[in-house]
Amino acid sequence: MSIAAGLLLMACGKKESGLELSYPDFEGETVELISFSDSTVLKSAVVKDGKVIFDNSDLLGKEPRLAQVVIDGRVKGFFVIEEGKALLADSMSVAKGTPLNDSFSRGIQQLDSVENLNDMIAYAEFAKKKYLENKDGVLGEYFGVEWIKYGEPKEVLKMIAESPEKFRKSKKVERYGRYASLRARTATGEKYADFTATQQDGSRVALSDYVKAGKYTLVDFWASWCPYCVKELPELKELYAKYKDRGFEVVGVAVRDEPSDTEAALKRHGLTWPVIKNAGKVPYDVYGFSGIPHLILIGPDGRIVARGESAAQTATRLSGIFGD
């Protein structure tokens, strides 16, 4: 841009906002810039020579906006639409180069480090902290939703009721708020909720077919395509071998997974406990969890003893139950 052109823009008071994407592995694919709050498509372009450049000057408003970068239905990263130019590469989850994007990137890195602890309670508490720090700004949208997804349901439902109207009425908050209500109904101490799924042979099986009175039953909601689910399987196999003759059962529930892929995974990983296949999204709408793996431990009386714990945390809990 020439000096004269730059001076003209300043004189006219035009504000600039841009995002450069570096996605060499997605050549020829369509990239969409989507509003975080309501999933509205704001812009789209095709990756050419490994790049896409969005001019978002026309999207600038009184306040910054949070957007998602999506390719083939999958979120590749996040971007705050504000004045200035930012960069988002395939190796990054948040754009960098403008004040809010840089702040957001630091917050996500911290959140990721907590997530690596494999402790969802700690994750939810950190998301809560970041939400409270940013609740009056655009970054509060993201951290607030993460808190709603994984936080203690009664607490997050109270937060939603007291939150700013714009946040409270966003599609994401409405969706995950509904999930929080479902988690409240199936919280620790509540009786487990039953559901059914149609199998490949046309038969229907229910979770209650495998939850036996007088025994502890660990329900593992998982999928063959989920790396975190697969990573936990060896630990679950150890627990099953250790406690199966002492009043302990395991039942897997394959969610959003093709039955043939589930079958292949069962053979590949040598799983010997029963698995309900082809459950689709039904368990999400029963138990209100937002991600997998998700473990629920049901007690001998049919009430939920714990949910959302890792395999390692479950091992500690079972050790206490069975007196090891």
Side-chain angles (χ1 to χ4, degrees):
M1 179 184 294
S2 68
I3 295 176
L7 291 172
L8 179 61
L9 285 174
M10 290 176 63
C12 296
K14 181 177 179 180
K15 298 178 181 180
E16 290 185 304
S17 175
L19 175 64
E20 180 178 327
L21 305 172
S22 178
Y23 287 141
D25 293 338
F26 294 93
E27 187 71 21
E29 296 284 339
T30 298
V31 179
E32 294 179 317
L33 193 63
I34 295 178
S35 169
F36 179 80
S37 62
D38 61 11
S39 300
T40 301
V41 177
L42 304 173
K43 289 182 181 289
S44 65
V46 175
V47 179
K48 185 177 181 180
D49 297 328
K51 293 184 178 181
V52 165
I53 297 178
F54 285 118
D55 180 357
N56 299 313
S57 301
D58 59 321
L59 298 177
L60 288 173
K62 293 182 179 179
E63 299 177 352
R65 299 172 66 181
L66 181 58
Q68 303 171 114
V69 175
V70 177
I71 300 178
D72 193 25
R74 296 190 178 185
V75 177
K76 301 298 295 181
F78 298 90
F79 167 61
V80 179
I81 301 172
E82 64 175 335
E83 286 187 64
K85 295 184 179 180
L87 171 68
L88 180 62
D90 195 28
S91 60
M92 301 159 59
S93 57
V94 178
K96 292 183 179 181
T98 64
L100 280 174
N101 279 299
D102 290 346
S103 177
F104 192 17
S105 180
R106 290 191 295 271
I108 290 296
Q109 288 175 357
Q110 293 171 329
L111 189 63
D112 287 345
S113 67
V114 176
E115 183 178 17
N116 290 336
L117 299 175
N118 205 14
D119 184 339
M120 294 315 298
I121 294 177
Y123 181 92
E125 283 300 307
F126 186 81
K128 171 186 175 181
K129 175 177 177 291
K130 297 301 289 184
Y131 167 75
L132 293 175
E133 290 174 355
N134 297 278
K135 67 178 181 179
D136 296 323
V138 66
L139 302 187
E141 290 185 51
Y142 180 85
F143 293 112
V145 168
E146 289 303 291
W147 180 22
I148 294 168
K149 283 182 181 178
Y150 303 106
E152 196 281 321
K154 291 182 180 178
E155 185 179 36
V156 298
L157 289 171
K158 183 175 184 293
M159 177 271 278
I160 292 171
E162 298 173 349
S163 65
E165 183 179 8
K166 181 180 177 182
F167 176 80
R168 185 172 66 252
K169 292 188 175 180
S170 74
K171 288 184 178 179
K172 272 191 168 57
V173 171
E174 288 180 348
R175 174 188 176 191
Y176 291 115
R178 180 172 63 85
Y179 277 16
S181 295
L182 293 170
R183 294 202 308 278
R185 296 176 198 167
T186 53
T188 300
E190 300 294 334
K191 187 169 177 58
Y192 82 93
D194 201 12
F195 62 85
T196 61
T198 302
Q199 305 304 277
Q200 283 177 292
D201 61 4
S203 64
R204 292 185 65 79
V205 296
L207 178 61
S208 56
D209 294 336
Y210 303 100
V211 178
K212 306 299 183 184
K215 293 188 175 184
Y216 286 90
T217 303
L218 183 66
V219 186
D220 177 26
F221 296 97
W222 71 295
S224 64
W225 47 262
C226 168
Y228 297 103
C229 301
V230 172
K231 183 180 179 181
E232 281 198 336
L233 290 178
E235 294 176 87
L236 298 184
K237 289 172 69 174
E238 289 182 11
L239 292 178
Y240 186 56
K242 185 175 183 178
Y243 296 114
K244 67 178 182 179
D245 296 326
R246 298 168 64 181
F248 176 68
E249 300 287 343
V250 176
V251 54
V253 181
V255 298
R256 297 169 54 207
D257 203 13
E258 290 294 329
S260 58
D261 293 337
T262 303
E263 286 285 0
L266 297 181
K267 294 177 181 178
R268 184 164 60 252
H269 299 292
L271 304 187
T272 57
W273 54 75
V275 173
I276 297 175
K277 307 175 192 67
N278 200 38
K281 295 182 179 180
V282 171
Y284 290 83
D285 291 326
V286 174
Y287 285 98
F289 54 85
S290 298
I292 52 175
H294 189 81
L295 299 176
I296 294 180
L297 181 63
I298 300 171
D301 60 355
R303 295 190 177 277
I304 295 172
V305 175
R307 58 172 296 176
E309 294 184 335
S310 66
Q313 289 169 324
T314 302
T316 300
R317 184 174 293 278
L318 289 175
S319 178
I321 289 173
F322 289 106
D324 291 343

